[in-house]
Amino acid sequence: MGGRSQLVVNIREAFQWTRTSVNLVTIVILSRGKCGLSKCVTRYLVAMAAADLLVVLIDLILRQIPITYYEQLLLLYNIPVCNIHAVLLYAATDCSVWFTVTFTFDRFVAICCQKLKTKYCTEKTAAVVLGTVTVLSCLKDITWYFMLSRWYTLGNVPWFCAVEGSVNDWRVWGAIEILHYILTPGVPFLLILLLNVLIVKHIVVANRTRRRLRDHSSEESPGDPEITSRRKSIILLFVISGNFILLWAMFTLYSIWIRVFGFTGRTGIPPIFLMELGFMLQLLSCCTNTCIYAVTQNKFREQLKNMLKYPFSLILKTIK
């Protein structure tokens, strides 16, 4: 069991380094503002990529420090290092998830609410929304500081803060923990799904109206680029929703399983490697949304190609 769990940990760390590179490249390209996106959309995408990168750094680097420098950190035993780590990690994860929700809502307004679009879909509004989400996420996750142990759990199991014994025994803390999982990812998934359904419905109705107008027009073309673009938007929205629920499913089910065991003691404890696999998939979702949104843009791909070619062209210039 320990070997299987360690294998999952190693795979997860490899994913983490990959995600770090992906998010760094995404931030650099989007920040240059040459992808043909509005400033509002660019701000959302950069915020999503930055939150994803923060999750990677907090999860990967801060998990390795207590392992590599265990003896040195014994001097800090009285400082709740793990509690602080947990609050930062959960807050960054919440920001990553809820930034996706706010961006989806922004696209819903832009597509379905034309009267509200000019007032809401602005760079200033995006900054206010993202700042509010960040503050609320930090306030919400302060409770983890009091629910977890002050130090890391080491040994043949994955390392992170252990849950305090009083938390397992007291139903109030259990209810607070379940509320955390409802707010992230339960509510975000429902909101993303609802917004996507409304957007798809709006696009389908608009396509039907457009087809009727084209049927009555004498000048018909073999294909309608507008309808093709809308069809791609529908596919993209379904990919986002499916990606989110699939990558968060195991983590959510494991968390509920553990909490039910704590309440009743009637269910068996799930294997630890399932927890690590759930963490890996959940953290992987922190980079896929940005990639899906950004890589589908032609100009983003052009900028990515130019960035990859730049070191080689620089070497050729130096040789010449």
Side-chain angles (χ1 to χ4, degrees):
M1 184 67 67
R4 186 188 303 177
S5 176
Q6 185 61 41
L7 176 61
V8 175
V9 171
N10 294 336
I11 295 175
R12 190 186 70 174
E13 291 178 358
F15 271 120
Q16 299 281 51
W17 288 114
T18 303
R19 290 168 51 210
T20 302
S21 304
V22 169
N23 287 316
L24 279 174
V25 171
T26 302
I27 292 173
V28 171
I29 293 177
L30 292 175
S31 299
R32 298 178 65 187
K34 297 182 179 181
C35 295
L37 302 172
S38 66
K39 292 182 178 180
C40 174
V41 172
T42 300
R43 186 176 286 271
Y44 277 112
L45 290 177
V46 170
M48 289 164 60
D52 296 341
L53 179 62
L54 193 59
V55 172
V56 176
L57 296 178
I58 293 175
D59 183 68
L60 182 61
I61 295 178
L62 292 185
R63 275 180 187 261
Q64 295 301 323
I65 289 177
I67 304 303
T68 307
Y69 303 100
Y70 176 72
E71 295 182 358
Q72 290 83 345
L73 289 178
L74 287 177
L75 299 174
L76 304 176
Y77 186 80
N78 292 324
I79 300 176
V81 179
C82 196
N83 304 60
I84 298 172
H85 178 190
V87 171
L88 293 175
L89 177 59
Y90 285 116
T93 304
D94 281 1
C95 285
S96 174
V97 172
W98 281 96
F99 285 172
T100 304
V101 176
T102 56
F103 176 57
T104 305
F105 182 75
D106 178 86
R107 293 300 86 201
F108 165 76
V109 173
I111 295 173
C112 304
C113 309
Q114 294 300 317
K115 294 182 179 180
L116 185 60
K117 177 181 177 180
T118 55
K119 295 182 179 180
Y120 184 83
C121 300
T122 63
E123 188 178 8
K124 182 178 180 181
T125 302
V128 172
V129 170
L130 293 171
T132 302
V133 169
T134 301
V135 172
L136 292 178
S137 297
C138 294
L139 292 176
K140 164 184 169 292
D141 291 308
I142 287 178
T143 53
W144 288 109
Y145 181 91
F146 305 99
M147 294 170 62
L148 300 174
S149 65
R150 298 169 59 86
W151 203 246
Y152 293 87
T153 301
L154 305 176
N156 293 325
V157 297
W159 51 91
F160 199 57
C161 319
V163 178
E164 289 284 3
S166 59
V167 173
N168 284 325
D169 300 331
W170 198 17
R171 294 181 182 274
V172 174
W173 284 116
I176 293 175
E177 185 178 353
I178 291 177
L179 181 62
H180 275 291
Y181 298 133
I182 292 175
L183 293 176
T184 305
V187 174
F189 172 74
L190 292 177
L191 288 176
I192 290 176
L193 183 60
L194 175 62
L195 292 171
N196 286 345
V197 168
L198 294 175
I199 292 173
V200 169
K201 181 180 179 181
H202 178 85
I203 292 176
V204 170
V205 172
N207 284 349
R208 289 176 181 174
T209 304
R210 190 174 180 87
R211 286 195 184 97
R212 292 194 193 101
L213 294 175
R214 284 173 56 82
D215 290 340
H216 291 86
S217 174
S218 57
E219 298 179 359
E220 290 192 3
S221 57
D224 190 338
E226 182 66 21
I227 293 180
T228 302
S229 175
R230 289 172 179 173
R231 187 181 298 112
K232 291 180 179 179
S233 298
I234 293 176
I235 295 173
L236 176 62
L237 290 171
F238 277 119
V239 170
I240 291 294
S241 299
N243 168 75
F244 186 82
I245 189 172
L246 287 175
L247 294 181
W248 274 86
M250 183 171 293
F251 172 80
T252 304
L253 291 174
Y254 182 91
S255 301
I256 294 174
W257 191 350
I258 284 292
R259 181 44 58 190
V260 170
F261 175 80
F263 277 150
T264 64
R266 296 178 181 178
T267 59
I269 299 178
I272 294 177
F273 83 90
L274 289 180
M275 177 187 70
E276 280 300 309
L277 183 59
F279 272 124
M280 182 185 73
L281 295 176
Q282 173 250 315
L283 292 170
L284 179 62
S285 70
C286 290
C287 77
T288 51
N289 283 342
T290 302
C291 295
I292 291 172
Y293 278 120
V295 176
T296 53
Q297 304 294 322
N298 293 330
K299 292 186 178 180
F300 180 90
R301 290 197 295 270
E302 292 177 4
Q303 292 295 319
L304 179 59
K305 290 178 182 178
N306 293 335
M307 179 177 288
L308 295 176
K309 292 178 182 178
Y310 180 76
F312 299 100
S313 60
L314 190 63
I315 294 174
L316 290 177
K317 289 181 180 179
T318 304
I319 295 175
K320 293 180 179 180

